[in-house]
């Protein structure tokens, strides 16, 4: 009964900031790789950021479009994943989804939606110019 619930979405002006949260339950949170994805109507879901832990080392991946502006992090004690979004642009407007993968996968796959087993319902982010 893995459950992921996103929150923190909303409407902001271009250049603003927003922090998304993903509350996880029903599994050992620290053992999962986690990612943030986004999707707009009529387009495929795209990877935004991912965080994986191996042997105590945390590695992150970001799409080129958000590199330097977004930061993914997690709080294992709270079973929560975060996405800090700064310098938001209108093209960041999308439904944002939290996803979990219960095993290690190579970096090249971490921003692809297909390997992920669990998904949240999404939270809408709208950035106006």
């Amino acid at each position: 009964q893995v459950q992921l619930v996103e929150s923190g979405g909303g409407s902001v002006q271009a250049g603003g900031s927003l922090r998304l949260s993903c509350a996880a339950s029903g599994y050992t949170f620290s053992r999962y790789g986690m990612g943030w994805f986004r999707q707009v109507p009529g387009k495929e879901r795209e990877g935004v950021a991912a965080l994986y832990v191996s042997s105590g080392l945390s590695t992150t991946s970001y799409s080129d479009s958000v590199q330097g502006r977004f930061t993914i992090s997690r709080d294992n004690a709270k079973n929560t994943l975060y996405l800090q979004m700064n310098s938001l642009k209108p093209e960041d407007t999308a439904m944002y989804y939290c996803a979990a993968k219960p095993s290690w996968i190579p970096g090249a796959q971490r921003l692809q939606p297909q390997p992920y087993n669990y998904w949240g319902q999404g939270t809408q982010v709208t950035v106006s110019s």
Side-chain angles (χ1 to χ4, degrees), residues 42-60:
K43 302 191 73 174
E44 294 184 351
R45 190 167 298 185
E46 66 170 340
V48 175
L51 188 156
Y52 281 73
V53 178
S54 179
S55 299
L57 298 178
S58 178
T59 59
T60 57

Side-chain angles (χ1 to χ4, degrees), residues 62-80:
Y62 297 96
S63 68
D64 290 340
S65 62
V66 308
Q67 182 73 50
R69 299 187 297 119
F70 291 10
T71 302
I72 187 172
S73 63
R74 70 198 299 172
D75 186 333
N76 289 336
K78 296 182 178 180
N79 275 7
T80 301

Side-chain angles (χ1 to χ4, degrees), residues 38-45 93-97 124-125:
R38 65 188 182 187
Q39 188 171 28
V40 298
K43 302 191 73 174
E44 294 184 351
R45 190 167 298 185
T93 295
M95 184 73 74
Y96 283 72
Y97 298 90
Q124 179 68 37
V125 171

Side-chain angles (χ1 to χ4, degrees), residues 31-35 37 50-54 59 61 100-117:
R31 285 184 171 269
Y32 279 70
M34 305 288 290
F37 296 78
L51 188 156
Y52 281 73
V53 178
S54 179
T59 59
S61 302
K101 174 68 177 179
S103 62
W104 185 91
I105 56 174
Q109 299 179 31
R110 296 176 184 180
L111 295 180
Q112 299 177 7
Q114 292 84 358
Y116 289 81
N117 303 88

